[in-house]
Structure formats: structure tokens, C-alpha cells
């Protein structure tokens, strides 16, 4: 693991990097509450052919962060500053859930930085009921801590079959979530609840792959179809028997789609 300072204030981001240098790097952005380690299967699958860079977002993993870091503008600037600090002038971005929202934001605001975009289990906007549910998660995190959010989070993220079949994965995710700062987690959900990235979809001009699980209730197939329709030339692939976190539930299929897409990019 390495650390890079991204601005004169001393703000730093922890990351892991592996694979041959010289080509366009592949940057993987994790979901809210998780960290860089949850891209382990993708890192293994890609690093033979690609320069793969996986950061911890602020307040996640080893990267320090506070609730005040969690505005879309600040996070987009942090991601941009991170890439520039590593002398990455253009990258293939892939993000799951929150990571996909940050990818959309950067691709719309700094298009020269993004060669291609892979959006996994994510969306550009939410219904009023969805926003209300996110604000309730924030309130629960503040009042009851991460333990109070755990059962509902596991149920949203994974199918019942995965919960029964992969106790190792559920235990790993549980350990990570319980170690998270509930105040940062609350700030994350308050930010997400206020997002509306749909107006910026038309400004995304890079090749885009959208991946979604058939059982994803958080960002369902209809949300993925809206991304495909809103981004010119975007391609949609639907992964069967999968909920919100396809890279964890079905890493093999996710990796197949991701490698195939990246192989078609310059």
C-alpha cells in the first residue's frame, strides 16, 4: 500500500497499485462503507495486462476523512487531485455504487481525465422514497451506530443465496462495516440522498459500460437502463442472480465483462 499527498494542506489518499506501467491506468472506486480491498478479485484479473490503481476514499480504509469531506464537489476534486498527484492524465474509471456516481461526476466535469467509464450497480438519480430511505440510514448511523445498519445493509447488498453460501464474505463485510465511522457514514448517505447526476449524463462522451444485477433493489435494472439511455453509445450488461455488489457476488462474470470492455478501448 502507498500514500500520495494530493494538495498543499497535506490531504493524503492511500492506495494500492499493481501491473505494468506505461498504458492507460485502470482506476477502481469502491462502494460506500467498503475500501480498496474489495476490488481484490478484479486486481488479480487485470494486473497482468493493466496498470491498476485502487484508492481508499476519504474516511474509508486507511485514508483519513471527516464528515465535512463528503460533498460531491469535494470528492470529485479529491479524485481529480489523486490522479494528478500520481501523474495520471487519463484513466479508465470503474466504480461500483457510490464509486460509479463519482465516476459519472468526474467524466462529466473533467472529460479529458476519463478514457472510459464502467458503472456497476449504480445510478444517476433516485426517487423521493429512495432519498427518504437514505436520510433515514444517516439518522440511524448517528443514533445507533454501524451495528444498527448492518442487517438491512447485508440484505440490500447480497442475495439470500449469497448470504447462505458465502459466510466468509458476509463476515468480511460485517467486520469492515462495524469498523466504519458512523458520522462519516451518515455524511455519505446525506450526500447521496441529494445527488442528481442525470443532467450531466449528456456531457459524458467516453465509451461506457453499465453493469447491473438482476436482483439489485438499490439501483435496479431500470436505473441501469436510464444510464445506458442517457450516455451516448453506452452498453448495458445484466448479470443474473446478483444483487448490488456484482464484483463481490459474481467476480468471474464481472471480470469477464470488464476485461472484454477494456480490451476494446485504445
Amino acid at each position: 500500500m502507498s500514500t500520495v499527498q494530493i494538495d498543499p494542506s497535506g490531504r493524503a489518499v492511500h492506495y494500492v497499485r499493481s501491473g505494468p506501467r506505461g498504458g492507460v491506468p485502470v482506476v477502481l472506486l469502491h462502494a460506500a462503507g467498503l475500501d480498496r480491498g474489495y476490488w481484490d478479485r478484479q486486481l488479480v484479473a487485470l494486473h497482468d495486462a493493466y496498470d491498476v490503481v485502487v484508492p481508499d476514499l476519504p474516511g474509508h480504509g486507511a485514508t483519513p476523512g471527516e464528515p465535512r469531506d463528503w460533498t460531491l464537489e469535494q470528492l470529485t476534486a479529491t479524485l481529480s487531485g489523486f490522479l494528478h498527484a500520481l501523474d495520471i492524465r487519463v484513466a479508465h474509471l470503474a466504480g461500483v455504487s457510490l464509486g460509479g456516481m463519482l465516476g459519472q461526476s468526474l467524466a462529466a466535469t473533467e472529460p479529458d481525465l476519463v478514457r472510459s467509464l464502467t458503472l456497476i450497480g449504480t445510478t444517476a438519480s433516485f426517487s423521493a422514497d429512495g432519498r427518504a430511505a437514505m436520510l433515514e440510514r444517516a439518522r440511524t448511523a448517528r443514533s445507533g451506530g454501524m451495528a444498527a445498519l448492518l442487517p438491512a445493509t447485508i440484505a440490500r447488498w447480497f442475495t439470500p443465496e449469497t448470504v447462505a453460501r458465502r459466510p466468509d464474505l458476509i463476515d468480511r463485510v460485517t467486520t469492515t462495516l462495524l469498523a466504519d465511522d458512523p458520522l462519516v457514514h451518515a455524511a455519505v448517505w446525506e450526500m447521496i440522498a441529494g445527488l442528481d447526476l442525470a443532467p450531466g449524463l449528456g456531457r459524458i462522451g467516453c465509451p461506457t459500460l453499465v453493469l447491473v444485477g438482476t436482483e439489485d433493489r438499490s439501483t435496479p435494472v431500470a436505473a441501469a437502463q436510464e444510464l445506458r439511455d442517457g450516455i451516448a453509445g453506452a452498453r448495458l450488461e445484466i448479470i443474473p442472480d446478483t444483487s448490488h455488489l456484482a464484483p463481490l457476488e459474481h467476480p468471474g462474470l464481472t471480470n469477464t465483462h470488464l476485461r472484454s470492455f477494456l480490451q476494446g478501448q485504445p
Side-chain angles (χ1 to χ4, degrees), residues 44-104:
V44 170
L46 295 173
H47 82 137
D48 61 328
Y50 298 95
D51 175 9
V52 186
V53 183
V54 194
D56 282 334
L57 296 174
H60 292 70
T63 297
E66 301 178 18
R68 66 186 181 188
D69 296 320
W70 283 87
T71 68
L72 181 62
E73 295 76 16
Q74 179 63 58
L75 286 169
T76 304
T78 295
L79 179 56
S80 174
F82 170 72
L83 296 177
H84 285 294
L86 293 182
D87 200 29
I88 295 173
R89 303 306 174 187
V90 64
H92 300 291
L93 287 188
V96 60
S97 192
L98 167 67
M101 298 171 203
L102 295 181
Q104 292 173 60

